[in-house]
């Protein structure tokens, strides 16, 4: 609802930036976070520097939100990284970094954010998965595994947070033209799109459409769900 | 801050949690009594279920932060590995929180 406080991780660019501007434009008080400062501003959006994989950064971020706004109504755990590679050639450090950002970051933000939501017994958490999970995409073993962890985590905490009036769901976008897929060969993208029921790239609006559904007041009975785009 | 203030915060948070239970009944189905230091927080005699204990801990941390500007993480690796759980009663929880607060104040001092 307008006036609600929304945290969006990974808001500097890509899907995160679109969502921040989308909801700020609808009157949400948006707090965007990323490791680097953005090159854009919006009257309803403030930016906080934080690395979601670092526990102290996440605690500081949520402490800032608690102090400034006194509440948190929506979390969009958009921050994520990927590295397309055959798993036999994937360095351990890359695997660790992907897991830390994608899963641990989501876990930390959910944990600290839900504590703030519990005060008002109301909240909406939307985590980010990917069609790479159901499609078991070759070249994305660690990325897909990290998002599988996010999916299971989403379903479990949906049950743990339900008595507190907090719903938790996940959206699984199909490829959207952002930096995340810039290094993926165009032929690989075409093969992936060809396996979707709806054979096109996803758009930012496609992702926002699902989030709009998950976070609306009428969706209080929707929790623990994973919604993939493109018919994966 | 002293231990008595911590006891007061925990008891107030506990009463808030208990008042949030349906029909004022505890999970065991017995009528609630006014909590005090000896009130158990774990086990069959506790008026709290698992979510109630989680809510109590989160509320206590938030109250310490908001009223006294002290940030502590009550459930940490040390608490979970102690032979005797600090979450047994209101008194043992207060003792543990008091330890954390003193450590925090010692670092800050």
């Amino acid at each position: 609802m307008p006036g609600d406080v929304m945290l969006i991780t990974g808001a500097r660019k890509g899907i995160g930036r679109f969502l921040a501007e989308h909801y700020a434009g609808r009157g949400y008080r948006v707090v965007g976070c990323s490791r680097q400062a953005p090159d854009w501003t919006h009257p309803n959006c403030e930016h906080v520097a934080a690395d979601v994989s670092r526990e102290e950064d996440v605690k500081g971020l949520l402490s800032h939100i608690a102090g400034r706004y006194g509440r948190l109504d929506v979390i969009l755990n958009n921050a994520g990284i990927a590295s397309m590679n055959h798993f036999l050639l994937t360095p351990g450090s890359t695997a660790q970094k992907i897991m830390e950002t994608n899963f641990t970051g989501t876990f930390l933000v959910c944990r600290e954010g839900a504590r703030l939501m519990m005060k008002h017994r109301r909240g909406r958490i939307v985590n980010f998965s990917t069609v790479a999970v159901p499609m078991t995409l070759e070249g994305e073993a660690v990325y897909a595994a990290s998002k599988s962890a996010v999916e299971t985590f989403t379903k479990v905490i949906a049950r743990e947070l339900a008595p507190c009036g907090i719903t938790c769901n996940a959206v699984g976008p199909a490829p959207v033209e952002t930096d995340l897929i810039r290094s993926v060969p165009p032929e690989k993208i075409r093969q992936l799109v060809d396996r979707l029921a709806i054979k096109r790239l996803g758009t930012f609006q496609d992702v926002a459409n699902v989030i709009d559904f998950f976070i609306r007041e009428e969706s209080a009975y929707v929790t623990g769900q994973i919604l993939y785009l493109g018919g994966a | 801050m002293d231990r008595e203030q911590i006891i007061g915060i925990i008891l107030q948070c506990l009463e808030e949690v208990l008042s949030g239970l349906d029909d004022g009944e505890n999970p065991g189905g017995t009528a609630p009594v006014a909590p005090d230091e000896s009130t158990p927080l774990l086990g069959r005699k506790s008026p709290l279920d698992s979510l109630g204990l989680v809510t109590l801990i989160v509320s206590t941390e938030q109250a310490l932060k908001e009223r006294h500007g002290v940030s502590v993480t009550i459930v940490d690796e040390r608490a979970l590995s102690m032979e005797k759980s600090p979450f047994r009663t209101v008194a043992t929880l207060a003792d543990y929180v008091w330890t954390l607060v003193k450590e925090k104040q010692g670092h800050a001092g």
Side-chain angles (χ1 to χ4, degrees):
Chain A
M1 294 191 298
D4 279 359
V5 179
M6 174 186 286
L7 168 61
I8 303 175
T9 66
R12 181 172 66 92
K13 57 180 182 176
I15 294 175
R17 173 178 178 173
F18 177 85
L19 294 173
E21 293 177 313
H22 174 77
Y23 288 107
R26 290 186 173 186
Y28 283 80
R29 292 179 285 173
V30 175
V31 179
C33 86
S34 62
R35 292 167 293 178
Q36 301 170 48
D39 59 4
W40 58 273
T41 61
H42 190 290
N44 290 341
C45 185
E46 75 159 310
H47 188 83
V48 177
D51 180 341
V52 295
S53 67
R54 297 187 71 246
E55 188 164 11
E56 289 310 304
D57 278 18
V58 174
K59 284 185 171 182
L61 169 64
L62 272 300
S63 181
H64 166 78
I65 292 175
R68 178 159 187 178
Y69 301 97
R71 64 183 298 126
L72 180 60
D73 301 289
V74 183
I75 296 172
L76 305 184
N77 270 309
N78 164 74
I81 60 173
S83 178
M84 191 170 206
N85 209 353
H86 196 289
F87 92 98
L88 289 174
L89 303 179
T90 300
S93 58
T94 298
Q96 187 169 350
K97 188 62 183 166
I98 292 173
M99 291 300 296
E100 284 174 352
T101 300
N102 295 358
F103 171 69
T104 305
T106 295
F107 157 72
L108 290 172
V109 173
C110 284
R111 186 189 72 190
E112 297 301 313
R115 286 166 176 237
L116 194 49
M117 290 177 167
M118 284 170 71
K119 287 176 66 174
H120 299 278
R121 300 193 63 80
R122 171 181 174 267
R124 297 282 187 271
I125 297 174
V126 181
N127 294 327
F128 276 63
S129 182
T130 168
V131 295
V133 171
M135 298 177 78
T136 57
L137 284 182
E138 295 153 279
E140 298 287 5
V142 179
Y143 177 64
S146 73
K147 293 299 189 175
S148 285
V150 169
E151 289 191 8
T152 301
F153 174 71
T154 297
K155 293 176 190 176
V156 174
I157 71 168
R159 289 183 171 273
E160 293 185 0
L161 293 175
C164 306
I166 300 169
T167 68
C168 189
N169 297 284
V171 57
V176 177
E177 196 137 16
T178 67
D179 284 352
L180 196 73
I181 68 168
R182 195 140 293 159
S183 62
V184 180
E187 182 55 31
K188 284 286 186 185
I189 296 292
R190 271 194 293 275
Q191 289 174 358
L192 191 165
V193 169
D194 202 51
R195 289 170 61 187
L196 295 170
I198 301 172
K199 299 180 193 314
R200 64 166 174 84
L201 288 172
T203 67
F204 295 148
Q205 187 57 53
D206 290 329
V207 179
N209 182 44
V210 174
I211 295 172
D212 285 347
F213 167 67
F214 280 146
I215 70 173
R216 52 195 291 206
E217 285 301 298
E218 293 88 340
S219 294
Y221 201 45
V222 179
T223 198
Q225 303 305 299
I226 316 295
L227 200 160
Y228 302 110
L229 288 167
Chain B
M1 188 191 301
D2 57 30
R3 185 180 177 277
E4 289 308 306
Q5 287 174 301
I6 294 172
I7 288 276
I9 287 174
I10 294 172
L11 288 174
Q12 183 177 354
C13 291
L14 180 55
E15 287 175 357
E16 289 172 358
V17 173
L18 293 175
S19 69
L21 293 173
D22 288 341
D23 299 322
E25 292 182 1
N26 67 33
T30 59
V33 296
D36 58 28
E37 284 197 45
S38 67
T39 300
L41 302 178
L42 293 176
R44 293 175 61 185
K45 294 184 179 178
S46 169
L48 298 173
D49 59 11
S50 56
L51 180 61
L53 181 57
V54 169
T55 305
L56 172 64
I57 290 168
V58 171
S59 299
T60 300
E61 289 176 345
Q62 289 175 338
L64 286 168
K65 170 76 174 172
E66 290 169 7
R67 298 180 204 174
H68 299 279
V70 177
S71 292
V72 295
T73 301
I74 296 175
V75 181
D76 57 8
E77 287 85 357
R78 177 172 43 171
L80 296 175
S81 63
M82 290 171 70
E83 190 172 335
K84 288 191 174 181
S85 171
F87 307 114
R88 300 188 311 282
T89 67
V90 170
T92 59
L93 177 59
D95 290 340
Y96 187 67
V97 173
W98 181 221
T99 300
L100 296 175
V101 169
K102 283 188 291 184
E103 289 175 355
K104 197 84 173 186
Q105 291 173 335
H107 282 140

